[in-house]
Amino acid sequence: MPNQSESDATQMDVLIVGAGFAGLYQLYRARGLGFKTRVLEAGTGIGGTWFWNRYPGARCDVESLDYSYSFDEKLQQDWTWSERYATQPEILRYINHVADRFELWPDIQLNTRVARADFDDASNRWTVRTEQGEIFDAQYLIMATGCLSIPQQPRFDGLSDFKGHWYHSADWPEEGVDFSGQRVGLIGTGSSGVQMTPLIAQQAQHLTVFQRTASFSVPAQNEPLDEATIREVKVHYAERRARAREAVTGHYLIANDRSALSVNDDERRAEFEFRWRGAGGGFRMLRAFNDLLSNPQSNRHAADFVRSKIREIVKPPEVAELLCPKDDLPFGAKRLCVDTDYYQTFNRDNVALVDVKASPIIRITPNGLQTTEREYELDAIVFATGFDAMTGALMAMDIRGSGGQSLREKWATGPRTYLGLAIADFPNMFIIAGPGSPSVLSNMVHSIEVHVDWITTLLETARNKAVHRVEAAPAAEEGWVRHVNEVADKTLYPVGNSWYVGANVPGKPRVFMPYVAGVPTYQKIIDGVANNNYEGFALA
Ligand code: N01
């Protein structure tokens, strides 16, 4: 309905932006309470992150049996994951299955990007305008816009003159890309670059990886899930989910509650080895000792262990050295990469690693890429340059709260929220997994369920009490921002230059955005707020 007028705006009780895991579950819950609800989604399909990130090797770094909805017992019994870590296509199939199963489609509107949202103090409602010219009038606006949904677009001189094709990891062609016979350049060595390197190397004639900062990566130890394992998990699924709720990251990983400094060198190495190989790989390494992210010396032991592994795996010593992260990046302070054969790939004859910190990229040329040292001839360039994380999607919209207050202005020096869920002066608006909540430091699907359940209970309470306006108090927000920073400052997280602090986006204020105290602590806090008549909120 293009160019709709405000007077015939489409009326909604609850308008949700984004049809990923968060938006779909919020739709299911809000609709279940009889709210007139719609999800607006910019993509041509649902799935959010899992819709856009189709690059070769894209797969989740949280195990499939945990990275899935827990709200419906029959769903988790009926669905069967094929691998320990699910691939992007399998996750997308799952999300579409959920939409089919719960008949969510009639309330999902695709190809619709929200441009602007204005809160009206007189009616206590939001007017939401889309880029397609539609207008919605909604009592509640719920942002399920994701933490990693605005790709950091390549800003290299000369890109428009490049004669080959170029791609961004987070905007991958639906039909896929065949790199056979091509010389491919890959820029970026975060999780996306690390996952795609082995697969592109297998297909392309030659791959050059342009690395600015070496990441820490640990093996996923991915494997097919056999029938016996699946059967066992399904019999005890409720217990698995309960354990996940009690785990710091919202998915249970065997944790060692000792300091890395309390054991001798042999014991420490054995523990790290167990995590690398035996215990199942992946994020288990972060739980090897209880102070890896709080004690620099303990952290150094973990970093040294991974560096020793890189030197063991990668044959050319100069390549191994270049792949070893430097001391200014504490282990785990930037999201740990979880890979399959990443380091091994640098032993292939058709793969080269280029240090673009030492010799920065100057420009893209018609035939390839020019660094301060030389030109590299390329047929295709892949940008795995990451995202404007956590705030990007919200700041991309022009959101105006009470009194016309602009979110872009309010957050100019960094995001400020109450509980990562609400923003003072932006009444009746909620963010799912927003900055100031555990979000990206946790199993996102679990954190999404926590937020959606909490928001849904609040909406129901407001309706029962004939409340029309729900608003975070400025003092509560102030206190929460202080608390989030205090907790983070006790850890090594803010030290690393990562997207957690916005360091990857030129000009972005340096603020540590997620809440590090862990999922169970956070859950206790938000439950306490709810049980205390929504302390810190004004309900009117
Ligand atoms: O992005 P990143 P990502 N010149 O920001 C480099 C999730 N995720 O898409 O570090 C040269 O981590 C940049 O270098 P530097 C996961 O949470 C999950 O890989 O800024 N290089 C860096 O190496 C992850 O953490 C999964 O010096 C440039 C890279 O690009 C998050 O998404 C899979 C550059 C960006 O790394 C983001 O991961 C994928 C330039 N101008 C993603 N600009 C799984 O579930 C940037 N870089 C497994």
Side-chain angles (χ1 to χ4, degrees):
M1 202 188 289
N3 301 319
Q4 207 172 350
S5 72
E6 236 175 87
S7 56
D8 66 352
T10 308
Q11 303 290 311
M12 288 288 149
D13 297 322
V14 179
L15 191 65
I16 301 163
V17 187
F21 270 100
L24 296 185
Y25 181 46
Q26 185 62 74
L27 166 62
Y28 172 78
R29 291 299 316 274
R31 210 175 61 175
L33 287 175
F35 286 112
K36 191 170 181 218
T37 310
R38 192 174 298 178
V39 179
L40 306 182
E41 166 56 53
T44 56
I46 61 170
T49 287
W50 302 106
F51 176 79
W52 298 103
N53 288 265
R54 300 162 180 269
Y55 58 82
R59 154 190 313 276
C60 189
D61 52 9
V62 173
E63 295 189 23
S64 52
L65 290 161
D66 299 307
Y67 192 87
S68 46
Y69 291 121
S70 69
F71 70 85
D72 188 90
E73 174 61 15
K74 185 128 179 29
L75 168 65
Q76 67 187 12
Q77 291 297 332
D78 288 353
W79 183 265
T80 297
W81 294 103
S82 64
E83 292 177 79
R84 173 184 280 181
Y85 295 95
T87 60
Q88 173 270 333
E90 189 168 23
I91 299 173
L92 199 56
R93 277 199 299 280
Y94 171 77
I95 294 172
N96 278 277
H97 166 80
V98 170
D100 292 343
R101 186 180 184 108
F102 297 103
E103 297 176 359
L104 301 178
W105 292 106
D107 298 311
I108 300 171
Q109 183 172 326
L110 302 173
N111 304 305
T112 307
R113 189 176 284 279
V114 170
R116 184 179 172 126
D118 295 82
F119 184 73
D120 177 36
D121 284 299
S123 64
N124 289 319
R125 294 177 71 86
W126 285 92
T127 303
V128 176
R129 290 178 169 75
T130 72
E131 284 182 3
Q132 288 66 31
E134 275 181 272
I135 303 180
F136 292 87
D137 174 86
Q139 185 179 7
Y140 294 106
L141 179 60
I142 301 186
M143 297 303 190
T145 41
C147 294
L148 295 156
S149 41
I150 300 290
Q152 163 132 266
Q153 292 302 342
R155 291 193 192 93
F156 293 98
D157 287 345
L159 184 57
S160 54
D161 298 327
F162 180 56
K163 287 197 230 148
H165 290 288
W166 64 267
Y167 311 92
H168 192 288
S169 57
D171 194 8
W172 204 258
E174 276 193 46
E175 63 283 8
V177 180
D178 184 359
F179 290 115
S180 303
Q182 296 192 18
R183 295 160 304 174
V184 180
L186 167 62
I187 301 175
T189 51
S191 300
S192 305
V194 163
Q195 282 190 331
M196 68 173 88
T197 292
L199 282 112
I200 297 179
Q202 279 168 28
Q203 195 182 52
Q205 182 200 105
H206 190 270
L207 171 67
T208 308
V209 177
F210 296 94
Q211 173 187 278
R212 191 165 66 181
T213 308
S215 299
F216 285 103
S217 192
V218 295
Q221 307 292 8
N222 186 38
E223 58 186 9
L225 287 171
D226 58 68
E227 271 179 40
T229 305
I230 292 171
R231 210 176 313 116
E232 178 66 15
V233 169
K234 286 188 175 177
V235 170
H236 303 289
Y237 227 141
E239 289 153 50
R240 186 180 179 105
R241 299 295 193 182
R243 269 196 314 177
R245 281 195 290 277
E246 292 308 314
V248 176
T249 52
H251 55 125
Y252 175 76
L253 295 169
I254 181 167
N256 180 2
D257 198 23
R258 282 190 305 174
S259 161
L261 306 182
S262 69
V263 294
N264 66 32
D265 286 352
D266 289 345
E267 285 174 278
R268 201 180 303 115
R269 175 121 196 141
E271 185 68 35
F272 286 138
E273 280 287 355
F274 170 63
R275 309 266 155 180
W276 183 273
R277 206 181 300 279
F283 290 137
R284 286 170 183 82
M285 185 61 79
L286 287 167
R287 309 251 86 79
F289 295 99
N290 66 7
D291 55 354
L292 293 185
L293 276 151
S294 55
N295 183 317
Q297 225 182 319
S298 300
N299 188 280
R300 179 68 189 252
H301 284 301
D304 283 346
F305 173 80
V306 177
R307 285 190 279 257
S308 76
K309 283 291 178 190
I310 296 171
R311 292 181 184 119
E312 213 174 279
I313 297 168
V314 180
K315 300 292 175 244
E318 67 289 356
V319 180
E321 280 320 300
L322 198 49
L323 286 166
C324 285
K326 304 282 174 286
D327 284 341
D328 59 358
L329 179 67
F331 173 78
K334 179 183 172 187
R335 187 173 179 107
L336 189 59
C337 300
V338 177
D339 74 271
T340 300
D341 292 341
Y342 176 62
Y343 295 121
Q344 288 82 347
T345 299
F346 291 92
N347 292 330
R348 294 176 66 108
D349 292 338
N350 70 333
V351 176
L353 182 67
V354 173
D355 180 359
V356 292
K357 187 156 263 165
S359 310
I361 300 167
I362 300 174
R363 57 184 290 111
I364 307 295
T365 64
N367 296 317
L369 182 156
Q370 176 79 48
T371 68
T372 51
E373 202 185 351
R374 55 163 278 203
E375 183 176 6
Y376 294 85
E377 292 206 349
L378 302 168
D379 303 307
I381 302 177
V382 174
F383 296 95
T385 44
F387 302 85
D388 182 355
M390 303 205 72
T391 54
L394 293 162
M395 302 284 258
M397 297 172 272
D398 187 3
I399 304 174
R400 309 256 166 177
S402 177
Q405 152 103 265
S406 147
L407 185 66
R408 287 178 184 153
E409 280 169 25
K410 173 164 176 154
W411 282 11
T413 54
R416 305 176 62 76
T417 67
Y418 180 41
L419 307 173
L421 273 161
I423 306 168
D425 287 326
F426 292 78
N428 292 3
M429 183 177 108
F430 300 98
I431 319 164
I432 299 173
S437 73
S439 60
V440 292
L441 296 181
S442 67
N443 170 4
M444 276 299 268
V445 181
H446 176 65
S447 281
I448 282 167
E449 289 190 326
V450 166
H451 267 186
V452 169
D453 289 343
W454 193 92
I455 292 167
T456 306
T457 306
L458 174 52
L459 299 188
E460 191 180 20
T461 306
R463 184 172 65 186
N464 292 344
K465 294 186 169 176
V467 161
H468 300 291
R469 181 171 171 136
V470 179
E471 191 168 8
E477 181 180 271
E478 184 65 38
W480 183 251
V481 170
R482 204 177 321 115
H483 173 63
V484 168
N485 284 307
E486 276 166 9
V487 187
D489 288 343
K490 288 186 190 138
T491 73
L492 298 170
Y493 278 111
V495 178
N497 284 327
S498 73
W499 55 264
Y500 292 154
V501 294
N504 63 325
V505 177
K508 192 164 173 170
R510 191 181 177 106
V511 175
F512 184 78
M513 295 181 280
Y515 180 55
V516 297
V519 171
T521 303
Y522 177 78
Q523 174 95 57
K524 248 182 237 136
I525 293 171
I526 62 169
D527 286 349
V529 165
N531 293 335
N532 210 1
N533 294 321
Y534 292 96
E535 189 180 7
F537 284 92
L539 274 61

